[in-house]
Amino acid sequence: MNLNIVEYPDKKLKEKSLKVELFNEELHTLLDGMYNVMINSNGIGLAAIQVAHAKRVLILSIPDEEGEQNREDLIEMINPLITKKSGESVYQEGCLSVPSFYEDIVRYESISVNYQDRDGNTQKIEADGLLSIAIQHEMDHLEGILFIDRLSYSRRKKFEKEYKRMQKEKKSSKI
Ligand SMILES: [Zn+2]
């Protein structure tokens, strides 16, 4: 499966993802392809819409204490739903679809999530710290929301300016 990361300002990222009904080979191929894209791009999380598939699918690979991403720590979430949330935490987030930009975003500190695994079995997880933040970031993607959509008006303006400049530089350096 040939998957490429969709980058802002592509309108595809605003699309609301659809519930997964079939837990078949096609879904497994998508999940495996997403894993390769995420690891090759040094990401810790990826939603299917970021590779142009509008499905309620996301994956997470939080590094261990040594900073290693282990395949056995991979979490695949299909049709996730937050059932409990509490507290508040701020973390400097980035996104594979908004390269080279990082900003502080406020999220819930702890969450409980119900979801399905790749075989359609119901799973439940309680998360805090980076895992909690990453889940909330990826779940936003399923609604067509990017972390930059959560910035204040003035910070968003600053972002648009910086991002345009960076894209211009990227283009000119490719010549
Ligand atoms: Zn993202």
Side-chain angles (χ1 to χ4, degrees):
M1 194 181 256
N2 192 17
L3 299 173
N4 293 306
I5 292 186
V6 179
E7 290 184 6
Y8 180 83
D10 195 314
K11 293 254 185 308
K12 186 83 188 166
L13 293 166
K14 284 188 173 293
E15 227 175 278
K16 200 173 158 160
S17 295
L18 299 173
K19 192 176 174 190
V20 173
E21 309 278 359
L22 297 171
F23 294 81
N24 54 12
E25 193 59 40
E26 196 190 324
L27 174 68
H28 296 172
T29 307
L30 172 64
L31 283 163
D32 295 339
M34 283 172 64
Y35 179 77
N36 291 332
V37 169
M38 178 181 70
I39 294 299
N40 291 337
S41 320
N42 299 313
I44 61 163
L46 188 71
I49 193 69
Q50 292 182 274
V51 289
H53 288 253
K55 291 181 175 176
R56 302 188 81 79
V57 170
L58 60 91
I59 59 170
L60 302 145
S61 172
I62 304 299
D64 64 16
E65 281 156 23
E66 271 95 59
E68 297 289 322
Q69 284 173 292
N70 306 306
R71 179 93 204 207
E72 57 268 27
D73 295 331
L74 175 70
I75 300 174
E76 297 174 335
M77 289 189 172
I78 325 293
N79 304 326
L81 198 76
I82 293 178
T83 56
K84 260 191 237 166
K85 50 201 179 191
S86 64
E88 210 180 86
S89 75
V90 180
Y91 187 81
Q92 194 177 53
E93 295 185 20
C95 179
L96 292 176
S97 295
V98 191
S100 311
F101 187 78
Y102 303 88
E103 262 294 2
D104 284 350
I105 302 292
V106 184
R107 303 277 186 189
Y108 296 110
E109 166 73 42
S110 314
I111 52 171
S112 300
V113 185
N114 286 356
Y115 64 97
Q116 284 167 288
D117 62 23
R118 62 161 61 206
D119 298 311
N121 302 310
T122 302
Q123 306 285 349
K124 193 185 158 99
I125 195 170
E126 280 172 24
D128 53 22
L130 184 54
L131 177 60
S132 168
I133 289 159
I135 292 171
Q136 292 171 74
H137 175 112
E138 300 311 331
M139 283 184 71
D140 266 358
H141 276 299
L142 307 185
E143 306 305 323
I145 299 167
L146 297 174
F147 79 109
I148 50 169
D149 296 329
R150 295 193 174 275
L151 297 176
S152 69
Y153 181 79
S154 58
R155 280 159 81 208
R156 176 61 179 252
K157 281 272 176 219
K158 202 179 127 213
F159 159 74
E160 296 293 351
K161 240 171 119 180
E162 273 179 32
Y163 195 75
K164 262 182 209 141
R165 183 174 47 79
M166 282 188 315
Q167 280 190 322
K168 254 187 218 160
E169 278 168 13
K170 228 166 64 183
K171 256 183 219 157
S172 55
S173 64
K174 266 182 196 156
I175 296 168

